[in-house]
């Protein structure tokens, strides 16, 4: 006995290994809801076009609803011999309603079916990711508003650079997540054309109405070229590219959480909710969630690299290679969703250590640029001011005092134009408070930006 779906010209069963390598049901059963929705839209269109009788269309719709319920209640039996979700649904429909089921596949093929189903799945995943990123932004912006004026060390090269505020630092991640959402939105816009009815690759001679199915499934329009429609996986690549960049952003914050919560640094603390203990060292509190978010970025990047490699050099149109597009994609987009949720939880949970933050912000002569800027305002060229401030730092360092405690007379011995006023500017509070340029770290800026984000995010939720 040969395959029921395509076995007309076959005399015998496939080899067990053939069946194993060919079957995708273990993965694409995740698309059952999309497959059934697309079949219902297709059947309704076939009936409207007179390709299918109203009676058969009704039976098909009912049968498809039954199958959906069977799958959702765990009663549906999946078997490798039926290859993929498309054949499973059609074979079960045959059992349920008889020969009318065989009329459903008119004017379509599994090639346009799988492209349609997967587009629907990716589109829904993008919707979930966008909502999750919105929650993440809200958590960051709320925390930023709470700590708009709290100084923290701003680092470049992991060296103390200039004081910034903790709120400003958190808002940097809000901006990144905003661009991530923009990339997902772009991907969704380009994705939203319906492949259904492109059939195997050439279209069909049957009088189908592709606008109708596109509309029914929430697409903006049908795809314009049947070859492209079945050969295209750009929508997956774009979603994965956006996901990979978002995951890279999350991994950077994750890494900072790992560093900042280390007892060696101690700038930040997480509670019991997002840490774990050690099985042997009772004192430990490990930032496992942050570490796992950091690691998941590797798998998400891997999924993008894998699909690029699968698609590279594939001739048009559909090739079975493309069946390998789903496993890593589904896993990666689900992993990203979980990572965002974990990161949102950690952001809500994290508490900065105010005293250590301030101490670290002031350490390392972090306000030396403020001294140089003061000299610039007094008319020195910046290069010269930089040199003078550098000599003063060196002198203060050998005297073992921070800049704002260094004696005025000792500064004046290096640069006579320095006045009392300059000294008062060298505390971390004065330093961050002075950075009022657009996009700068001044607490007033941070409050304004945090409120702007919160308002915007509130509005999109309404
Ligand atoms: N399981 C297949 C996939 O995921 C569906 C399309 C199969 N098409 C075909 N002509 N064999 O890509």
């Amino acid at each position: 006995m040969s395959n029921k779906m395509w076995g007309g010209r076959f005399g015998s069963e496939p080899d067990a290994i053939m069946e194993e390598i060919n079957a995708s049901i273990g993965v694409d059963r995740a698309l059952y809801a999309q497959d059934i929705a697309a079949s219902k839209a297709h059947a309704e269109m076939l009936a409207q076009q007179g390709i299918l009788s109203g009676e058969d269309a009704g039976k098909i719709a009912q049968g498809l609803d039954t199958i959906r319920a069977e799958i959702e209640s765990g009663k549906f039996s999946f078997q490798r011999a039926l290859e993929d979700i498309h054949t499973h649904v059609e074979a079960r429909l045959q059992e349920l309603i008889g020969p009318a089921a065989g009329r459903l596949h008119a004017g379509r093929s599994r090639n346009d079916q799988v492209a349609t189903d997967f587009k629907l799945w990716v589109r829904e995943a993008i919707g979930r990711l966008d909502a999750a990123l919105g929650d993440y932004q809200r958590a960051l912006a709320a925390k930023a508003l709470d700590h708009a004026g709290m100084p923290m060390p701003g680092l470049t090269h992991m060296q103390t650079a200039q004081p910034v505020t903790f709120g400003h630092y958190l808002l940097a991640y809000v901006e990144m997540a905003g661009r991530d959402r923009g990339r997902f939105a772009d991907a969704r816009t380009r994705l939203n054309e319906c492949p259904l009815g492109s059939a195997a690759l050439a279209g069909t001679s049957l009088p189908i109405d592709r606008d109708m199915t596109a509309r029914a499934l929430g697409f903006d329009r049908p795809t314009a070229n049947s070859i492209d429609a079945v050969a295209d996986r750009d929508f997956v690549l774009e979603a994965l590219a956006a996901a990979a960049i978002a995951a890279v952003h999350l991994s950077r914050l994750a890494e900072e959480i790992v560093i900042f919560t280390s007892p060696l640094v101690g700038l930040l603390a997480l509670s019991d909710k997002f840490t774990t203990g050690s099985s042997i060292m009772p004192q430990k509190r490990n930032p496992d969630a942050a570490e796992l978010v950091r690691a998941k970025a590797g798998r998400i990047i891997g999924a993008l690299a894998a699909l690029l490699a699968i698609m590279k050099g594939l001739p048009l149109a559909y090739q079975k290679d493309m069946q390998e597009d789903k496993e890593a994609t589904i896993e990666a987009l689900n992993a990203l969703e979980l990572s965002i949720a974990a990161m949102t939880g950690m952001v809500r949970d994290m508490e900065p250590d105010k005293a250590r933050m301030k101490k670290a912000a002031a350490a390392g002569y972090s306000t030396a640029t403020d001294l140089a800027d003061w000299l610039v305002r007094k008319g020195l060229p910046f290069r010269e001011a930089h040199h003078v401030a550098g000599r003063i730092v060196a002198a203060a360092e050998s005297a073992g005092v921070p800049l704002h405690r260094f004696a005025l007379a000792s500064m004046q011995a290096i640069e006579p134009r320095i006045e009392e006023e300059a000294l008062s500017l060298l505390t971390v509070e004065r330093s961050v408070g002075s950075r009022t340029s657009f996009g700068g770290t001044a607490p007033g800026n941070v409050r304004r930006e945090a409120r702007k984000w919160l308002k915007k995010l509130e509005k999109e939720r309404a």
Side-chain angles (χ1 to χ4, degrees):
M1 235 271 297
S2 60
N3 187 294
K4 271 202 281 195
M5 291 296 150
W6 44 254
R9 63 163 293 186
F10 287 73
S12 65
E13 291 270 11
D15 189 271
I17 296 292
M18 176 61 211
E19 203 177 274
E20 188 177 346
I21 196 171
N22 200 34
S24 57
I25 189 61
V27 172
D28 60 30
R29 55 187 284 181
L31 309 184
Y32 78 90
Q34 292 78 10
D35 193 73
I36 288 169
S39 285
K40 283 180 80 170
H42 189 68
E44 213 168 295
M45 180 277 292
L46 291 177
Q48 187 199 268
Q49 297 301 101
I51 301 166
L52 194 66
S53 73
E55 197 196 327
D56 283 348
K59 277 197 224 160
I60 287 172
Q62 259 187 7
L64 290 169
D65 285 340
T66 306
I67 294 170
R68 197 189 155 115
E70 285 177 354
I71 293 176
E72 284 171 357
S73 64
K75 281 190 216 124
F76 193 89
S77 111
F78 291 98
Q79 38 191 302
R80 206 173 63 186
L82 284 173
E83 282 185 43
D84 57 25
I85 188 65
H86 324 293
T87 4
H88 271 82
V89 170
E90 198 180 323
R92 179 67 184 137
L93 192 61
Q94 195 102 39
E95 284 173 9
L96 288 170
I97 68 167
R103 298 185 181 278
L104 173 61
H105 213 51
R108 74 172 193 189
S109 118
R110 278 191 292 165
N111 298 348
D112 55 335
Q113 234 189 316
V114 74
T116 305
D117 293 0
F118 204 26
K119 275 193 169 184
L120 290 172
W121 191 92
V122 171
R123 193 175 73 186
E124 283 168 37
I126 287 175
R128 288 194 300 274
L129 291 167
D130 182 67
L133 284 168
D135 289 342
Y136 169 60
Q137 287 182 303
R138 257 187 293 279
L140 285 163
K143 199 53 81 168
L145 191 56
D146 287 348
H147 302 290
M150 178 186 287
M152 78 177 275
L155 308 171
T156 61
H157 313 268
M158 274 310 277
Q159 306 291 316
T160 307
Q162 293 174 346
V164 294
T165 59
F166 187 49
H168 196 52
Y169 159 82
L170 293 172
L171 289 180
Y173 283 101
V174 176
E175 294 290 331
M176 293 182 231
R179 291 194 296 275
D180 292 331
R181 296 179 71 186
R183 272 180 284 272
F184 278 120
D186 289 348
R188 190 198 188 284
T189 302
R190 264 185 302 279
L191 163 154
N192 213 30
E193 295 184 341
C194 186
L196 195 59
S198 298
L201 82 165
T204 174
S205 60
L206 298 170
I208 61 173
D209 181 349
R210 293 193 56 213
D211 288 298
M212 180 178 170
T213 40
R215 225 178 305 118
L217 295 168
F219 288 103
D220 297 327
R221 63 191 80 84
T223 50
N225 182 298
S226 59
I227 298 175
D228 176 47
V230 296
D232 168 47
R233 289 296 179 272
D234 289 4
F235 64 99
V236 194
L237 289 170
E238 286 193 40
L240 285 175
I245 297 172
V248 164
H249 291 156
L250 293 178
S251 80
R252 294 178 77 170
L253 180 52
E255 168 75 353
E256 292 183 324
I257 290 175
V258 170
I259 294 172
F260 292 164
T261 59
S262 162
L264 299 179
V265 177
L267 293 180
L268 218 54
L270 292 170
S271 77
D272 296 352
K273 283 202 277 183
F274 285 94
T275 49
T276 62
S278 157
S279 59
I280 173 168
M281 298 160 283
Q283 85 285 8
K284 287 197 80 193
R285 177 189 290 290
N286 297 328
D288 294 42
E291 294 166 82
L292 289 163
V293 167
R294 189 172 60 183
K296 298 236 184 252
R299 296 175 64 157
I300 296 166
I301 294 165
L304 171 62
L307 188 59
L308 284 167
I310 288 167
M311 296 307 292
K312 180 201 156 294
L314 275 196
L316 303 183
Y318 176 85
Q319 313 293 335
K320 196 62 173 254
D321 309 50
M322 292 160 71
Q323 174 165 285
E324 296 286 316
D325 62 353
K326 286 171 217 70
E327 188 167 1
T329 302
I330 293 173
E331 199 268 341
L333 298 187
N334 287 340
L336 180 61
E337 198 183 340
L338 182 60
S339 296
I340 299 167
M343 200 46 103
T344 304
M346 281 185 274
V347 168
R348 287 198 191 110
D349 191 52
M350 61 162 82
E351 278 309 325
D353 183 325
K354 196 175 172 198
R356 291 186 77 135
M357 281 279 196
K358 188 177 164 185
K359 195 162 166 235
Y365 298 92
S366 64
T367 58
T369 320
D370 296 81
L371 181 57
D373 284 352
W374 184 85
L375 290 165
V376 167
R377 284 198 296 277
K378 290 291 153 186
L380 265 73
F382 183 76
R383 280 294 151 229
E384 197 187 327
H386 180 280
H387 188 76
V388 169
R391 286 180 56 206
I392 291 174
V393 165
E397 199 169 24
S398 44
V401 290
L403 266 192
H404 65 283
R405 296 256 164 71
F406 196 41
L408 181 61
S410 319
M411 288 201 192
Q412 283 167 338
I414 294 165
E415 172 48 63
R417 277 169 289 186
I418 294 185
E419 298 159 25
E420 184 79 50
E421 181 208 37
L423 253 84
S424 70
L425 301 178
L426 303 181
T427 64
V428 287
E429 286 84 1
R430 291 296 292 267
S431 173
V432 296
S434 71
R435 298 289 193 281
T436 53
S437 57
F438 181 74
T441 194
N445 283 10
V446 174
R447 257 174 231 116
R448 193 182 57 238
E449 287 298 309
R451 289 205 182 98
K452 203 180 82 191
W453 270 112
L454 287 169
K455 204 166 141 192
K456 186 178 151 161
L457 293 162
E458 219 37 64
K459 217 189 277 164
E460 74 181 32
R461 198 154 54 167

